[in-house]
Amino acid sequence: MELRINRRALVGLGLAAAVAASSLAVLRTDSGIASSHREAPMIAGDPQHDNTDVYAFVSPDKADTVTLLANWIPFEEPQGGPNFYPFATRSRYNIKIDNDGDARPDITYEWTFRNEDKRGTTTFLYNNGPVTSLDDPNLLFRQRYTLRKITPGGTRTLVGDGIVAPSNVGPASMPDYGTLRAQSLRSLPGGGKVFAGQSDEAFFLDLRVFDLLYGGNLSEVGQDTAKGYNVNTVAIQVPAKELALKGDVRRNPVIGICSTTDKFNGSRYVQVSRLCNPLVNEVVSPAGLKDAFNALPPEKDADVAPLVKRVTDPEVARLLEAVYGIKAPATPRNDLVEIFLTGIAKQNGPIKADLNSQVLNKDAGKLRPSEMLRLNMAVPPAKDPNRLGVLAGDLQGFPNGRRLSDDVVDIALQAVAGAALTGKLVPGLTDKVDGNDKPFLQSFPYIPLPSNVAVNRR
Amino acid sequence: MRSLAVLAGLALLGAMAFTIFSFSAAPSEAPVAQAAPAAETLQERLRRLPGDHRGWAELASQYVDQARITGDPSYYTKAEGAIATAAKLRAGDDAVLTGQAALAAGRHEFADAVRLAERAVSVNPYGAAAYGVLADARTQLGDLRGARRAVDRMMDLRPGVAAFARASYAAELRGDLAGARKYLEMAEDDAWSPADVAYARYYLGELALHSGDLATAADWYAKALQAYPAYPPALAGQARTAALSGRLTEALTLYDTVVERLPLPQYLIEQGETRIKAGQAPDWTLLRAQRKLFQAAGVRDDLTWAEFEADHGDPASAVEHARAEYARNPNLVAADALAWALFKAGRPADALPYAKKATATGWRNPLLTYHRARIEQALGRPVKVDAGFDPTLPALARFS
């Protein structure tokens, strides 16, 4: 096709290049943007509401308490200024407990956040000098939180003026970050503790292991793809009796745990994110169901046939067989139904153990299957925790709750391959990442301090 | 939920020296990516996993979004390559259908966009993005009620920049200015990526501009540029504010920068009108060149030419374009364009029903109001023409 453009006229306008660039595309029947058509982003990135991990475990240094911990904002690059990584201020960050097995929350711990911004219009910097304490005037931006406990009996404010441990700005600005973390911890009435702030991305994994679903292969894995990044954490430690049905841990030791995030849409709060068991998207919820899963409360899970089917006939198992010759167990996979939907108990299915289903609670009613992380609070802390948890005979580990050191990727792969049925581990089935790069702490909140070194400098 | 897409989107803002064809061919023995997937771009991931259909669909959607952010339509071609690959892998997948719908909407094939988005929604009733495309396309087709239903659903699924921006536009078209502002403020508060922050601030500027508050508008445009320097719409906004405030030299300097970055017909027409206002001759050379290219390529953008011919060219040709546009997309803006073209062609009586349609929803758009007043005036009715409206710069009032 010949185009007769008066090039000289264009050059005179100094625009020849610009036209050429945008017009080449036009030749491929592309229209530009017409004035009639207002365009908006399709889906905006929203990491503040992206719930990445949930942990629940009997506290190793205080066996009569339980620690609940949830993370948001994946892949925080240290030194990500100037605004770093605040929590959203018009949202609710929740950890929900179901202790009677009806899939509805009996206790909700709800964090809401607000900004204290002293930067004015003169600077956009987070701090204007070294920050040596949470009250340091050099710290120009910080967040406060309110923690509420919501039960059918009503709502109580546990903390009205908590301070969020700030994003770690770097060694010059925050020479002793440990002090800031320590100052941010709050005690709760009745003997608990609470924390909100930045921490190390403690999840160690090679995400690429799940690329099996798209034709990837296990030979490529072996690096911790979350290493060096930070996350935002909320954590609470409370006496186990506070969580147990009727306050009786002996009779009712099992609780179910989910974390959700609610966002305000101008007229009401809607749930935009949900996480209970780790890796549920990779192993259980097929890609097309992810949106539904994030919006659904657990009490609706049992009605979503595709979700249940995905548990009873998981694609990952068939892929492991096709790619690696690891024989997939016969379907329906009632062992996985136990692990993900009902909890493990002899009366629930083929796994011969009474471990972590609410049916084991003597005062519980009828169990409604739902995807949640389930913890038996009566199992004492392991002296020598095994990263493979229950599958390796360490009953304090995932899928009985989840500790920071549990290797959930390997456990999930092994479980899908049938290890919970056979009692035998499948050799070689691993993402080859067995631990976090930073050691976990000995006391609450256990999760390591945030890094302050850029990821690509490590 | 852990997802790589967030970062992939940011990574995409970086180097784009990459063609879709580079790996639609069978992949050779690619070396294992050394980068951690967290830092892995969507493109790198797809090189490693060419079978990831949702990855391809996501890439296509990202390209469509880049076309929106940069105004560079060549991204649509890239999107087409990516979505074709995705569709070959898994045709009925909701992400693939949503990507196809987004591309169709980007290219103004609104009827197709509605069809595809409705299919996506039937496969995945929880997919917020598909409702967004549905809202946009229905708005363009003049189905404001259907658009609002889609927006409401989106607001219940995923309140955020994408939903708030659309809720704002729906409110604006209903004449609910306070609601339009409230939702944009929510979008601004919620925005995370610099491009999204700039987007929300730019439209807060537009809202102020259209309600005659130039100082507030200028403030928002400047704030948009703070978030995302060189964001062309905000630069154009600054040029508009300057021109409407009578600072014509400053406006023309700004327009030079704007059209050098992005010679969209809309900006070229604004620049020409500002020149006329400054007593210079408009130079429509570049605009006509663009138009020839569009026509040669078979692109349908009758609206722009209907508006341009009515104000600066041949009214008969304006009527032709406006009729074609209104037949395809019977929305408020198209109705206004047809009314104005008919008026300029000396047919105010024929124009009036369309002017009434354009103003029927209560949308407080100074250009629409002015057009209707002039048409009623010509028909001998007693009306008040807004003295604050500058009829020599209609294109500056037209945008969005």
Side-chain angles (χ1 to χ4, degrees), chain A residues 30 36 50-51 53 274 281, chain B residues 1-2 77 166 172 297 303:
Chain A
D30 270 319
S36 66
D50 193 353
N51 199 188
D53 279 295
R274 164 187 165 186
N281 270 336
Chain B
M1 298 281 164
R2 220 171 283 277
T77 317
R166 287 171 173 88
E172 190 184 330
L303 183 71

Side-chain angles (χ1 to χ4, degrees), chain B residues 99-182:
Chain B
Q100 289 171 318
L103 179 59
R107 286 178 157 167
H108 296 199
E109 308 290 345
F110 298 117
D112 286 350
V114 166
R115 194 175 43 79
L116 288 159
E118 279 173 345
R119 274 182 64 199
V121 162
S122 70
V123 177
N124 175 12
Y126 290 87
Y131 288 104
V133 178
L134 201 52
D136 295 348
R138 282 177 177 167
T139 301
Q140 296 306 321
L141 295 170
D143 175 13
L144 293 187
R145 220 176 276 158
R148 190 173 181 181
R149 280 199 310 275
V151 172
D152 287 349
R153 180 75 182 137
M154 199 179 184
M155 291 280 277
D156 279 345
L157 285 173
R158 190 155 283 281
V161 179
F164 293 148
R166 287 171 173 88
S168 168
Y169 192 41
E172 190 184 330
L173 295 179
R174 290 195 300 272
D176 174 7
L177 204 60
R181 192 175 303 113
K182 179 187 84 171

Side-chain angles (χ1 to χ4, degrees), chain A residues 31 265 292 458:
Chain A
S31 61
N265 74 358
R458 293 164 60 95

Side-chain angles (χ1 to χ4, degrees), chain A residues 9 12-13, chain B residues 268 271-272 275-276 280-288:
Chain A
L13 290 167
Chain B
L268 292 165
Q271 181 186 38
R275 280 192 180 144
I276 297 170
Q280 305 172 15
D283 184 347
W284 304 120
T285 320
L286 189 51
L287 182 71
R288 292 194 199 289

